[in-house]
């Protein structure tokens, strides 16, 4: 024991001596300041790693847009955009070589307005030097599946206008890094035609990504438009994995990636290890990328809240990696990266069509969000059409610095295009916030419309304010303006505005409380009208939702829909009068078959050439007959649901959720309630067929426009199973697995069931994997006929069987799909703490045509769906027409736009300037007559103005088109073949002022008038 003790004491003494000596060495050596060399440019012949510092700031998702900006509600997510922008400025000032890109103008504009003039000047210097670059430049990073192209243009224009006004800059790069799949319209329209030189994104199908990595074809030249071809192509790149840094290179405060510890006097010195890991990751990415340039996206959601933590590490990596010399690292931006790729003179693979649908894993098809939150999708589309019309009326009156404006609705609509807004992938409280913003914006725009109509109808221009009312809840038969008994002897004046550029006839329906009414036109002549009873189903819906959303319990109960036909001039209005009558108006004949007399008994419905044949016995549609087009087709229309796949408790479990559609087995038919047979209403204006499909699905087929009006909900979940509701139309059309869906309301793209053009598809979800986004319509065809369906909002749809089309119309789910939103898609409506599942009212439109004839209906009627009549109401004593304008057209009364041209923007910019956008509605070869060049005579469009200057602009109106096209980079492509001649409209002669548009062309102008 003694020997052992002595030995231990000797060892301890030796250790103490070593420790004392080490302590002396450490204390005698001081750490030194290291100046990091970050002034690096591209080095030819080396692998250049472009470090792109960025933050991805969702304009609402788990928190509302305001909560994200100020950093509140952090129990949900610790995110504060204000912190990001506040810390970014000093971090960039600390080193002139540092660079950063910023995207979401909805946030940046908030922050900009709060800054002092001194800070604003500093930021302008950073922008001018290229240290801070605006990428994409829209108010939001819009979704690409559930957005309409007009909304995409408007929100991009709003952001680009701010950047041009404040900084004199035009964004060069598209940066759609988070939307869940990518559309053809985004490539050729919202990228090429706004002057972008490239477009970058992250989310493509996992099978597609694997093949592209093998072939080094993640980066391509995307030719997305059949009609415009290479003239609107764009260099595009999909990231190797996502829009985040490589693994182990995250540097937000509290991130767990190893920092570069470069002080040799401290423990854990790791420069060689970190450099080696950097080089290995760079070489790995270079092996799947063409040229000697790769991009690292150094940031992700809401990062750089303390920007110095990122830039400190990036400085070190650039310094030490470049000292090492195996690869070259530099601060960069997507613009610098794009220029480097272009300078390499590489020939790139061609990509056509789009990147839908998107799956990130075997059973993870992101096709549920095409339909998620159908009510907010419908509200966005309604608001969009209203905004288009309101801007027109604002222009006709003249925009005033005082009084209401459409700007609030513009902002709300722009925010709603965010890829976690109209997509339906946000938390419920955030969806409520989007709806609230739209409501506030609509209310302000409603005042603009009322003031404009008051001005335009005031014949002597006395300046008297006429109080016009509107009815945004007309869809649930709630319209206080029309629900009067006319006992005071006053007329109800109905002003009907047409936002389209051609004369139009449609049926107006308003609720009334009495059958003793008569309708007269602008000249005072009585016209045909029809009363249809408002059934208890819709009265109940009206009562419930006015109480839930308006907090009112209406004592008035309308008895009828009053229907009459209105004819309205282009970009103008007509006036109709509803008055008390001594005799009742025509009340629809009612027919309710209770029991079929024999198996062959049928009901024929339809007032004109089109007849729908119903089976009395089976209470369903069986035949479609159009005597004019000589189409006769057997048809079946039904409802079904997909049971949603839940959480099966396994590690690879993939439930249906806000994003994902994963059915659990085959669809389940929803049988019609035999106790509630068909009810048919017939009259001189319309025929209607009402059918209660189940206790929670009610359908009305309105024959005058082939509408199916459907009411779905509350979807029952008492059995513990989420359900995804679809309607299907089945015909004998031999479609051979092929169908067509629109891209954001523009081009139609061919889809083939269980097939992908770019890779050999491994089919693992035969339903969800064949769903596509629909914003305008879907159709299929054979050699003789084509079946088309048009929609009133974004939905998902497919053709799962030949001859059959289906639309998903509503979803109610009980499990989250583990894609980040963190709550089930289970929408409810509550009154006094009593909640029920959401009921959705919507419309879809169907038609069968001889093959080749359907395009005209899809395009022209599709435009009418987007831009419905705008109705405004007031009361009048005496003869309204004696002192008011009853008919108005904003263009020359003898002129109308061609059938294939639409005015998609007419906006007063002030100072005698107007923004005008004209769109050709047809693709090349789509229609034998209308897929041709068309002309618009601006002298007749602006017949009461003198044009002194016309400038053709880029799509987002932030630069002249000629300058944009001169600057755009031209890209070489691999294996290109001789493409057909691309037709484009010619220059506008400033004297003749005739605009020529080729198929699928959109032309944008700023026009100045003589004061």
């Amino acid at each position: 024991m003694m020997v052992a003790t002595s030995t231990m004491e000797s060892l301890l003494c030796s250790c103490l001596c070593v420790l004392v000596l080490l302590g002396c060495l450490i204390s005698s050596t001081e750490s030194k300041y290291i100046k990091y060399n970050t002034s690096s440019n591209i080095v030819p012949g080396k692998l250049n790693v472009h470090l792109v510092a960025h933050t991805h700031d969702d304009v609402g998702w788990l928190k509302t847009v305001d909560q994200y900006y100020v950093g509140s509600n952090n129990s949900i997510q610790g995110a504060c955009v204000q912190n990001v922008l506040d810390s970014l400025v000093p971090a960039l000032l600390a080193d002139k070589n540092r660079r950063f890109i910023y995207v979401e103008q909805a946030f940046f504009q908030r922050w900009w307005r709060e800054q002092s003039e001194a800070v604003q000047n500093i930021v302008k210097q950073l922008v001018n030097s290229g240290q801070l670059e605006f990428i994409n430049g829209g108010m939001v990073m819009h979704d690409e599946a559930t957005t309409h192209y007009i909304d995409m243009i408007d929100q991009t224009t709003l952001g680009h206008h701010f950047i041009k006004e404040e900084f004199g800059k035009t964004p060069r790069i598209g940066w759609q890094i988070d939307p869940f799949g990518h559309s053809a319209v985004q490539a050729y329209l919202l990228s090429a035609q706004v002057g972008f030189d490239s477009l970058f994104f992250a989310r493509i199908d996992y099978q597609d990504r694997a093949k592209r990595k093998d072939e080094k074809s993640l980066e391509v030249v995307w030719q997305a438009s059949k009609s415009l071809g290479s003239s609107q192509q764009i260099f595009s790149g999909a990231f190797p994995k996502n829009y985040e840094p490589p693994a182990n290179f995250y540097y937000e405060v509290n991130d767990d990636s190893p920092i570069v510890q470069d002080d040799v006097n401290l423990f854990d010195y790791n420069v060689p290890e970190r450099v080696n890991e950097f080089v290995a990751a760079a070489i790995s990415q270079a092996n799947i990328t063409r040229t000697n340039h790769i991009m690292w996206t150094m940031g992700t959601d809401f990062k750089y809240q303390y920007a110095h933590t990122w830039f400190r590490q990036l400085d070190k990596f650039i310094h030490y990696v470049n000292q090492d010399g195996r690869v070259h690292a530099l601060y960069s931006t997507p613009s610098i990266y794009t220029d480097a790729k272009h300078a390499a003179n590489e020939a790139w693979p061609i990509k056509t069509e789009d990147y839908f649908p998107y799956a990130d894993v075997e059973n993870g098809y992101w096709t549920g969000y095409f339909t998620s939150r159908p009510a907010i999708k419908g509200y966005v589309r309604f608001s969009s059409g209203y905004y288009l019309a309101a801007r027109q009326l604002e222009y006709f009156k003249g925009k005033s610095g005082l009084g209401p404006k459409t700007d609030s609705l513009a902002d709300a609509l722009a925010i709603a295009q965010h890829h976690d807004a109209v997509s339906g992938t946000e938390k419920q409280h955030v969806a409520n916030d989007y709806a609230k913003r739209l409501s506030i914006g609509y209310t302000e725009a409603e005042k603009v419309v009322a003031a404009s109509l008051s001005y335009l109808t005031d014949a002597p221009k006395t300046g008297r304010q006429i109080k016009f009312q509107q009815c945004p809840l007309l869809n649930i038969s709630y319209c206080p303006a029309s629900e009067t008994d006319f006992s005071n002897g006053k007329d109800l004046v109905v002003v009907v505005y047409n936002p389209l550029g051609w004369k139009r006839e449609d049926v107006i329906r308003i609720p009334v409380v009495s059958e003793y009414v008569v309708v007269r036109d602008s000249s005072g002549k009585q016209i045909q009208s029809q009363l249809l009873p408002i059934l208890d189903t819709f009265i109940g819906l009206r009562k419930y939702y006015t109480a839930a959303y308006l907090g009112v319990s209406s004592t008035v109960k309308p008895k009828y829909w009053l229907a009459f036909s209105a004819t309205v001039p282009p970009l103008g209005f007509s006036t109709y009068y509803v008055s008390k009558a001594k005799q009742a108006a025509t009340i629809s004949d009612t027919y309710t078959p209770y029991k079929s007399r024999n198996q062959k008994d049928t009901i024929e419905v339809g007032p004109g050439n089109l007849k729908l044949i119903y089976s009395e016995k089976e209470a369903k549609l069986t035949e479609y007959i159009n005597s004019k087009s000589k189409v006769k087709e057997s048809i079946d229309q039904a409802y079904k649901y997909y049971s949603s796949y839940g959480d099966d408790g396994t590690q690879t479990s993939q439930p249906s959720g806000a994003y994902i559609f994963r059915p659990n087995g085959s669809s389940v038919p929803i049988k019609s309630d035999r106790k509630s047979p068909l009810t048919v209403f017939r009259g001189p204006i319309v025929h209607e067929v009402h059918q209660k499909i189940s206790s929670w699905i009610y359908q009305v087929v309105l024959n005058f426009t082939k509408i199916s009006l459907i009411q779905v909900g509350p979807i029952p979940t008492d059995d513990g199973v989420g359900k995804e509701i679809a309607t299907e139309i089945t015909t004998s059309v031999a479609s051979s697995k092929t169908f067509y869906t629109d891209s954001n309301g523009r081009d139609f793209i061919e889809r083939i069931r269980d097939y992908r053009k770019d890779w050999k598809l491994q089919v693992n979800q035969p339903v969800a994997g064949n769903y596509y986004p629909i914003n305008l319509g879907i159709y299929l065809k054979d050699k003789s006929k084509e079946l088309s369906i048009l929609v009133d909002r974004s939905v998902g749809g497919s053709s799962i069987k030949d001859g059959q089309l289906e639309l998903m119309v509503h979803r109610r789910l009980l499990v989250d799909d583990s894609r980040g939103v963190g709550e089930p898609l289970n929408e409810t409506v509550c009154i006094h703490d009593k909640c029920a599942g959401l009921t959705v009212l919507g419309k879809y439109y169907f038609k069968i045509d001889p093959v080749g004839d359907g395009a005209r209906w899809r395009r022209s009627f599709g435009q009418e769906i987007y831009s419905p009549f705008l109705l405004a109401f007031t009361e009048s004593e005496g003869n309204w027409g004696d002192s008011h304008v009853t008919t108005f057209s904003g263009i020359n009364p003898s002129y109308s736009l061609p059938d294939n041209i639409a005015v998609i923007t007419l906006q007063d910019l002030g100072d005698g300037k107007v923004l005008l956008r004209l769109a050709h509605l047809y693709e090349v070869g789509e229609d034998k007559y209308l897929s041709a060049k068309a002309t618009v005579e601006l002298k007749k469009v602006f017949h009461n103005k003198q044009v002194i200057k016309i400038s053709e602009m880029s799509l987002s109106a932030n630069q002249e088109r000629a300058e944009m096209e001169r600057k755009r980079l031209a890209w070489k492509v691999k294996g290109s073949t001789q493409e057909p001649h691309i037709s484009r409209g010619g220059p506008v002669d400033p004297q003749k002022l005739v605009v020529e548009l080729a198929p699928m062309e959109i032309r944008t102008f700023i026009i100045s008038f003589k004061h």
Side-chain angles (χ1 to χ4, degrees):
M1 290 292 293
M2 288 293 294
V3 174
T5 302
S6 299
T7 305
M8 181 65 71
E9 287 174 348
S10 298
L11 286 171
L12 286 170
C13 183
S14 299
C15 288
L16 286 170
C17 289
V18 171
L19 287 171
V20 169
L21 179 60
L22 183 59
C24 293
L25 288 172
I26 290 174
S27 62
S28 65
T29 305
E30 294 183 359
S31 299
K32 292 183 179 180
Y33 169 73
I34 302 174
K35 180 173 176 56
Y36 300 108
N37 182 10
T38 59
S39 57
S40 54
N41 295 312
I42 290 168
V43 176
K46 273 193 177 180
L47 174 60
N48 290 271
V49 184
H50 294 251
L51 302 178
V52 176
H54 80 106
T55 179
H56 174 62
D57 297 339
D58 288 304
V59 185
W61 179 38
L62 307 183
K63 306 199 295 188
T64 68
V65 56
D66 289 346
Q67 289 169 352
Y68 271 135
Y69 178 68
V70 301
S72 61
N73 211 355
N74 280 341
S75 61
I76 293 178
Q77 185 182 12
C80 176
V81 176
Q82 207 170 23
N83 286 349
V84 173
L85 294 168
D86 281 346
S87 71
L88 181 62
V89 174
L92 291 176
L93 289 173
D95 185 342
K96 67 180 181 179
N97 296 309
R98 291 174 174 176
R99 295 179 183 271
F100 194 85
I101 63 171
Y102 198 76
V103 175
E104 295 85 4
Q105 292 304 303
F107 284 132
F108 187 85
Q109 291 180 24
R110 279 171 164 79
W111 180 82
W112 181 255
R113 289 191 294 265
E114 295 174 353
Q115 304 311 304
S116 67
E117 186 177 351
V119 172
Q120 288 185 351
N121 287 333
I122 290 169
V123 173
K124 286 180 179 180
Q125 292 170 13
L126 293 172
V127 172
N128 288 331
S129 70
Q131 281 190 265
L132 176 61
E133 183 175 351
F134 295 116
I135 300 290
N136 230 24
M139 296 294 285
V140 300
M141 188 181 294
H142 54 226
D143 187 51
E144 297 183 39
T146 62
T147 45
H148 192 276
Y149 76 95
I150 294 177
D151 292 328
M152 298 164 83
I153 293 170
D154 284 342
Q155 80 86 16
T156 302
T157 299
L158 209 57
H160 282 194
H161 175 76
F162 170 82
I163 294 170
K164 185 73 172 182
E165 286 290 303
E166 293 291 341
F167 300 97
K169 299 292 184 180
T170 55
R172 286 186 58 202
I173 307 297
W175 190 255
Q176 289 289 110
I177 60 174
D178 199 22
F180 326 124
H182 305 283
S183 74
V185 158
Q186 176 61 41
Y188 84 84
L189 192 65
L190 272 301
S191 297
Q193 292 190 39
V194 298
F196 290 167
D197 284 316
S198 60
L199 168 65
F200 296 99
F201 43 85
R203 298 188 187 273
I204 65 173
D205 189 277
Y206 73 101
Q207 295 181 41
D208 190 15
R209 191 191 305 273
K211 181 173 182 287
R212 290 184 182 280
K213 287 166 78 171
D214 288 342
E215 297 176 346
K216 292 190 175 183
S217 62
L218 286 168
E219 294 175 326
V220 296
V221 169
W222 192 354
Q223 295 179 0
S225 170
K226 299 189 296 289
S227 299
L228 300 174
S230 61
S231 72
Q232 298 304 315
Q233 68 185 20
I234 188 158
F235 178 75
S236 305
F239 300 141
K241 185 177 181 182
N242 51 36
Y243 55 85
E244 302 187 3
N248 241 16
F249 291 90
Y250 291 74
Y251 293 109
E252 195 72 10
V253 174
N254 297 329
D255 277 342
D256 57 6
S257 295
I259 63 166
V260 179
Q261 205 295 82
D262 59 346
D263 189 337
V264 295
N265 301 310
L266 303 180
F267 295 136
D268 301 324
Y269 177 81
N270 66 352
V271 170
E273 291 88 345
R274 291 269 64 200
V275 169
N276 286 339
E277 192 170 355
F278 186 104
V279 171
I283 292 172
S284 175
Q285 186 170 332
N287 288 334
I288 58 171
T289 309
R290 298 169 193 251
T291 79
N292 62 325
H293 297 275
I294 62 171
M295 185 198 301
W296 279 14
T297 49
M298 301 306 293
T300 182
D301 295 10
F302 301 100
K303 299 306 181 184
Y304 292 79
Q305 293 190 63
Y306 179 46
H308 193 61
T309 62
W310 283 88
F311 283 116
R312 179 192 290 128
Q313 300 307 315
L314 294 179
D315 288 351
K316 292 181 180 182
F317 274 118
I318 291 171
H319 180 80
Y320 291 115
V321 166
N322 292 345
Q323 279 188 351
D324 174 83
R326 285 174 288 172
V327 302
H328 184 74
L330 68 154
Y331 278 119
S332 188
T333 67
S335 296
I336 295 171
Y337 178 78
T338 297
D339 288 339
K341 288 286 184 176
H342 184 260
N345 204 30
E346 178 84 7
W348 300 93
I350 292 176
K351 161 70 182 172
T352 59
E353 299 179 352
D354 63 8
Y355 287 91
F356 286 115
Y358 160 61
D360 57 352
V361 292
E362 183 175 323
N363 294 312
Y365 276 93
W366 296 48
T367 54
Y369 82 95
F370 300 160
T371 299
S372 294
R373 300 193 187 279
I376 196 76
K377 284 177 165 65
Y379 197 16
V380 169
R381 186 63 52 82
F382 162 80
S383 300
S384 176
Y386 189 84
Y387 175 54
L388 182 146
R391 279 186 293 176
Q392 292 176 1
L393 288 166
E394 187 176 43
Y395 158 72
F396 290 132
K397 177 181 179 292
K399 195 169 186 178
S400 170
L402 303 174
K405 297 180 179 63
T406 56
D407 298 352
S408 177
L409 183 54
D411 287 338
L413 269 171
I415 288 172
Q417 307 314 312
H418 168 59
H419 58 268
D420 283 308
V422 67
S423 60
T425 54
E426 65 274 27
K427 283 186 178 290
Q428 183 62 56
H429 79 105
V430 181
N432 296 342
D433 185 73
Y434 291 132
K436 183 178 181 179
R437 292 174 185 276
L438 288 170
S439 178
I440 292 169
Y442 170 84
T443 301
E444 183 80 0
E446 194 177 50
K447 295 174 184 175
V448 173
V449 168
S452 299
L453 289 175
S454 176
Y455 171 81
L456 294 170
T457 56
D458 183 12
K461 295 293 180 279
T462 61
R464 291 176 300 181
Q465 284 298 309
I466 303 160
K467 186 179 179 182
F468 279 104
Q469 298 181 64
Q470 293 159 70
C471 295
L473 297 182
L474 198 57
N475 65 323
I476 56 169
S477 66
Y478 182 71
C479 183
S482 68
E483 296 166 17
T484 175
D485 62 5
F486 305 105
S487 59
N488 57 8
K490 294 182 179 180
D491 291 344
L492 175 67
V493 180
V494 185
V495 176
V496 183
Y497 178 72
N498 172 23
L500 298 181
W502 57 76
K503 185 179 179 181
R504 177 174 167 195
E505 183 177 358
D506 206 346
V507 173
I508 304 296
R509 293 160 56 96
I510 57 175
V512 294
V513 297
S514 169
E515 62 267 40
Y516 293 98
V517 291
V518 63
V519 181
R520 292 175 288 119
D521 65 13
S522 299
S523 67
K525 180 184 175 183
Q526 183 175 335
I527 62 172
Q528 182 70 66
S529 61
Q530 178 185 343
L531 295 170
L532 299 107
I534 300 178
L535 303 184
D536 289 344
T537 296
F538 293 101
I539 292 295
L541 196 70
R542 162 196 164 103
K543 182 178 180 181
Y544 188 84
Y545 279 89
T546 52
Y549 292 138
L550 300 180
V552 301
S553 297
S554 177
T555 56
V556 177
K557 180 180 176 181
K559 294 171 63 178
Y560 299 100
W561 285 108
L562 173 64
F564 60 92
S565 182
T567 303
V568 188
L571 295 171
F573 62 76
S574 294
T575 307
Y576 294 85
Y577 313 103
V578 181
S579 311
K580 187 173 183 179
K582 293 180 180 180
Q583 293 183 334
T586 303
I587 300 177
S588 306
D589 293 333
T590 304
Y591 174 66
T592 305
Y594 284 93
K595 189 175 182 181
S596 177
R597 293 177 291 281
N598 63 68
Q599 194 168 344
K600 293 183 178 180
D601 282 349
T602 58
I603 310 168
E604 183 181 283
V605 181
N609 296 314
L610 178 61
K611 306 293 181 187
L612 299 180
I613 311 301
Y614 286 81
S615 163
E616 285 197 20
K617 180 178 181 179
E618 303 204 19
K620 68 176 187 178
L621 179 62
T622 61
E623 198 169 17
Y624 180 106
I625 301 171
N626 191 323
S627 57
K628 184 177 181 180
S629 63
K630 295 183 171 49
V631 166
K632 186 176 182 180
E633 176 67 22
S634 61
I635 186 170
D636 180 55
Q637 189 256 335
Y639 288 86
K640 61 185 180 182
Y641 69 85
Y642 294 98
S643 296
S644 303
Y645 202 95
D647 186 349
D648 60 16
T650 66
Q651 270 194 326
T652 57
S653 173
Q654 180 52 73
S656 260
Y659 302 90
I660 305 296
F661 172 34
R662 188 186 181 188
N664 190 359
S666 301
S667 60
V668 179
I670 301 172
K671 298 294 185 181
S672 177
D673 189 342
R674 293 303 179 91
K675 294 180 181 179
S676 302
L678 301 174
T679 301
V680 180
F681 298 108
R682 292 186 176 95
I685 307 292
V686 298
H687 287 193
E688 287 187 358
V689 181
H690 289 240
Q691 188 173 15
K692 188 176 182 181
I693 307 297
S694 73
S695 61
W696 49 278
I697 298 180
Y698 193 94
Q699 174 175 279
V700 182
V701 177
L702 294 82
N703 187 248
F704 65 93
T705 48
K706 291 73 71 179
I707 296 177
S708 276
L709 172 68
I710 54 175
Q711 174 186 326
V712 180
I715 299 172
T717 56
D718 302 345
D719 55 1
V721 177
K723 297 174 181 66
E724 313 187 48
I725 315 305
T727 184
E728 62 184 19
I729 293 180
T730 305
T731 65
S732 63
V733 176
S735 52
S736 302
K737 292 188 173 183
T738 304
F739 58 105
Y740 304 82
T741 63
D742 70 276
S743 177
N744 302 110
R746 287 296 277 169
D747 313 62
F748 277 92
I749 297 177
E750 180 182 78
R751 313 296 190 184
I752 301 174
R753 192 163 59 250
D754 296 335
Y755 172 81
R756 300 291 187 269
K757 188 175 182 179
D758 292 338
W759 77 95
K760 186 176 181 180
L761 177 68
Q762 178 185 341
V763 179
N764 45 57
Q765 284 293 320
V767 176
N770 285 301
Y771 255 64
Y772 291 87
I774 301 168
N775 284 280
L776 170 60
I778 180 172
Y779 73 95
L780 51 74
K781 62 183 180 179
D782 61 15
K783 293 180 179 180
S784 62
K785 292 184 289 288
E786 51 188 86
L787 165 67
S788 306
I789 302 179
L790 303 182
V791 297
D792 70 343
R793 71 198 69 194
S794 170
V795 299
S798 187
S799 175
I800 304 301
K801 299 177 182 177
D802 283 358
Q804 184 183 86
L805 293 175
E806 72 173 61
L807 304 175
M808 185 180 291
V809 295
H810 200 358
R811 315 176 74 218
R812 189 180 183 191
L813 310 173
L814 304 180
V815 181
D816 177 55
D817 57 13
S818 301
R819 291 306 186 277
V821 74
E823 67 181 32
L825 182 67
N826 185 7
E827 297 181 277
T828 58
V829 177
C830 303
I831 301 178
H832 305 307
D833 297 325
K834 184 178 180 182
C835 301
L838 177 70
T839 296
V840 173
L841 261 177
K843 299 175 184 175
Y844 67 90
Y845 310 76
F846 64 93
K847 194 168 187 278
I848 304 174
D849 288 291
V851 68
D853 289 355
R856 180 172 297 206
W857 180 74
R858 289 191 294 270
R859 293 299 183 180
S860 298
F861 190 66
Q863 205 64 27
E864 294 183 10
I865 296 169
Y866 175 81
S867 289
F869 280 155
L870 187 155
L871 306 182
F873 306 89
T874 190
E875 289 186 336
S876 171
E877 293 184 80
N879 193 337
W880 171 269
D882 289 345
S883 56
H884 296 88
V885 175
T886 58
T887 303
F888 164 82
S889 179
I891 64 178
N892 188 307
S894 63
Y895 184 66
S896 95
L897 265 62
D899 291 343
N900 49 6
I901 303 296
V903 177
I904 61 171
T905 307
L906 179 59
Q907 181 177 357
D908 193 333
L909 300 178
D911 297 325
K913 294 181 180 179
V914 66
L915 176 64
L916 174 70
R917 280 195 193 91
L918 300 169
H920 197 299
L921 299 175
Y922 288 76
E923 297 179 68
V924 167
E926 190 175 12
D927 183 90
K928 55 187 174 183
Y929 300 114
L930 295 173
S931 291
K933 280 187 177 179
T935 58
V936 176
E937 299 178 52
L938 295 185
K939 287 184 178 180
K940 293 183 178 178
V941 172
F942 301 106
H943 67 110
N944 56 356
K945 305 269 189 181
Q946 183 179 342
V947 176
I948 57 174
K949 184 181 179 183
I950 179 168
S951 302
E952 183 162 9
M953 309 298 290
S954 65
L955 185 70
S956 60
N958 66 343
Q959 56 188 315
E960 292 201 2
R961 175 177 162 178
E963 175 68 7
M964 174 193 76
E965 292 183 342
R966 184 189 65 79
K967 293 188 301 183
R968 283 196 69 223
L969 301 178
W971 297 86
K972 292 171 65 176
V973 296
K974 276 196 164 191
S976 58
T977 57
Q978 189 69 33
E979 65 179 351
H981 172 70
I982 302 300
S983 178
R984 300 295 296 271
V988 178
D989 186 312
Q991 301 303 316
K992 295 180 180 178
L993 294 176
V994 174
V995 178
E996 186 180 48
L997 292 102
M1000 277 292 106
E1001 194 172 16
I1002 296 177
R1003 300 185 70 174
T1004 303
F1005 301 92
I1006 291 179
I1007 301 172
S1008 299
F1009 301 119
K1010 185 176 182 180
H1011 286 301

